[in-house]
Amino acid sequence: MTIGSTPSRAVVVGTGSRAQMFTEALARRPQLRVAALCDPNPVRIAHHQRLLKEAGEPEAAAWSPEEFERRLRADDIQEVVVTCVDALHDAYIVPALRAGCRVVTEKPMTTDAAKCRRILETVEETGNHLAVAFNYRFNPVHEEVHRQLSGGAIGEVLSVHFEWLLDTRHGADYFRRWHREKEHSGGLMVHKSSHHFDLVNWWLGARPAEVFGYGRLGFYGRAAGERSGYRREYERAHGAAAAQDDPFALELAENDALRSLYLDAEGVDGYHRDRNVFGDGVTIEDDMALLVRYDTGATMTYHLTAYSPWEGYRVMFNGTRGRLELEVEESAWQPSLLGTSSGHGTIHGDQALANAGGPRLVLRPLWEPPREVGLPEFDHAGHGGGDERMLEVLYGPVDPAAATGTAAGDASDASRRRATEEDGALALVTGLAANQSFVSGKPVATADVVTL
């Protein structure tokens, strides 16, 4: 980026809910300018134009996806942010790298092995790199875990047990929208768990070598909803009488951002953000169990549940000198009627959830009493504070003149380093191998999926 009188020109690709964070972050930084917004839906682009106006920034050019590659050079773009549907990431990453742009992509980097290879080959061909927005690396609690492990608090890590629980507010949301179709999202092993696999790769300084797993659709979808009695007879919640008191229904009209981004935009592309989670056409799993072996010899047992009564995670590390245990309770329970007061229309991550708990990190050395590790004050909003910290590393401080010698973007701080295309591929390959194992019932070597 250029810090000076001429801001670097950026394009935001994909103008859905998550993209709002990037549009606003770029607009707050005088060294950057949102020069273009790229999306097939002009109604969603208009929503982001309003965000720019509210920030005192000029209107951006509106690009269709077909114009993207041609206009990168014609409009002198230096920065590209990719936040569109996961399966389309490579279609923008590759031409942006070839045009010499600095590229940041939302996770997952992409959704299949062929697209991953295409991105990696383009990096090798051009010498240009990209950053993957793994915001969980920047959560201060996760940084403390990294410090403890890299500092040798429990010696060599031999095994990890990792359980992540999505409650019926957050977990269900993947089954209302395009994420429910594996061809678009890669399933939760790719879209959601890439966060978790990246954390373990980073925490252990290790690469996944082999994956075995079981996955099933046991709670959501028509068949499961009919078995449990949760299914109501409607296709989408808006305007459906059967959805009025359904705890699994999302009412778009009740939130300004959801109405602007999705309900008002339906006439252009027919996309419904509020589909019945117990409907037809769900091709992703909601309950997944894995065993992963790493190149260091360490193993991980991992379980993702997308229909839990509480939201949070537990991760435990067993080492040659003791054990480290992290538990984060993001929500002890959720009320039955779903709604959101988020100005961004988000269901999770933007604001603290109702009945939020907190984190606890316990070190259990061999032959010593356990002790609780002090943690910084925990903020559930902004993905545990990770969003803003990540944005500072990626784009620098909001006020460059106020930056000190220990700038947030200092890449020498290993505990806050950016995730690269290699990190993106290493997180992706665990999920891709898991998806293969679900089908074959056999262990899958990651080298047989993507060679890194």
Side-chain angles (χ1 to χ4, degrees), residues 42-344:
V43 178
R44 280 196 282 276
I45 286 180
H47 177 91
H48 283 252
Q49 299 282 27
R50 289 192 290 274
L51 297 179
L52 292 175
K53 183 178 180 180
E54 289 167 5
E57 289 290 291
E59 185 173 277
W63 295 1
S64 68
E66 295 74 24
E67 296 178 280
F68 177 77
E69 189 167 357
R70 174 180 62 82
R71 295 193 67 172
L72 280 175
R73 288 186 172 89
D75 288 26
D76 190 27
I77 299 298
Q78 292 93 38
E79 304 270 346
V80 174
V81 184
V82 180
T83 65
C84 59
V85 171
D86 299 345
L88 300 178
H89 284 185
D90 69 303
Y92 299 97
I93 291 170
V94 168
L97 289 173
R98 287 179 176 157
C101 298
R102 180 173 177 268
V103 184
V104 173
T105 182
E106 257 298 342
K107 60 80 196 167
M109 186 172 75
T110 187
T111 55
D112 66 39
K115 293 172 181 176
C116 182
R117 284 192 292 271
R118 182 176 179 230
I119 292 169
L120 296 177
E121 287 167 1
T122 303
V123 168
E124 185 175 2
E125 166 197 325
T126 63
N128 296 326
H129 297 271
L130 71 148
V132 183
F134 284 128
N135 55 356
Y136 280 150
R137 287 188 177 208
F138 301 91
N139 180 317
V141 171
H142 300 157
E143 289 184 338
E144 182 58 39
V145 171
H146 186 277
R147 279 190 288 272
Q148 291 290 324
L149 295 177
S150 61
I154 61 169
E156 179 188 355
V157 178
L158 302 179
S159 65
V160 182
H161 176 68
F162 200 158
E163 178 185 32
W164 199 288
L165 300 158
L166 300 170
D167 65 23
T168 49
R169 173 190 178 90
H170 183 194
D173 206 42
Y174 295 107
F175 296 82
R176 298 185 188 101
R177 43 192 172 136
W178 56 263
H179 303 76
R180 69 196 250 159
E181 296 153 355
K182 191 171 281 192
E183 65 177 302
H184 294 137
S185 68
L188 291 179
M189 288 284 93
V190 168
H191 177 82
K192 181 62 182 173
S193 297
S194 62
H195 265 318
H196 316 154
F197 301 147
D198 175 67
L199 278 176
V200 175
N201 295 342
W202 179 56
W203 279 331
L204 269 57
R207 292 172 169 237
E210 189 174 53
V211 180
F212 175 72
Y214 292 109
R216 64 178 297 211
L217 180 64
F219 187 85
Y220 300 106
R222 177 184 284 272
E226 289 176 346
R227 285 198 311 271
S228 64
Y230 287 132
R231 175 175 163 78
R232 307 282 187 91
E233 291 297 329
Y234 64 90
E235 290 299 315
R236 51 88 57 96
H238 183 68
Q244 290 299 306
D245 61 347
D246 182 4
F248 293 97
L250 176 65
E251 180 48 67
L252 301 176
E254 293 179 355
N255 180 275
D256 290 343
L258 286 172
R259 184 174 61 250
S260 175
L261 283 167
Y262 301 108
L263 192 59
D264 294 348
E266 289 178 3
V268 177
D269 56 18
Y271 173 63
H272 292 162
R273 170 69 175 79
D274 60 344
R275 284 181 281 180
N276 189 340
V277 301
F278 301 109
D280 296 313
V282 179
T283 56
I284 66 173
E285 300 83 8
D286 56 29
D287 193 296
M288 294 135 280
L290 301 186
L291 179 61
V292 182
R293 179 175 59 81
Y294 293 88
D295 62 353
T296 61
T299 58
M300 174 177 69
T301 54
Y302 172 86
H303 203 117
L304 178 67
T305 303
Y307 53 89
S308 171
W310 72 281
E311 174 111 345
Y313 47 102
R314 300 184 180 102
V315 56
M316 289 146 277
F317 306 86
N318 297 303
T320 55
R321 296 184 180 277
R323 178 178 168 96
L324 187 67
E325 302 173 345
L326 172 67
E327 178 170 298
V328 178
E329 186 179 60
E330 295 187 337
S331 172
W333 66 281
Q334 285 292 307
S336 61
L337 293 181
L338 176 65
T340 179
S341 59
S342 166
H344 289 154

Side-chain angles (χ1 to χ4, degrees), residues 116 197-198 201 206-208 421-431 452:
C116 182
F197 301 147
D198 175 67
N201 295 342
R207 292 172 169 237
E421 70 283 339
E422 184 177 24
D423 298 312
L426 287 169
L428 172 66
V429 74
T430 303
L452 296 167

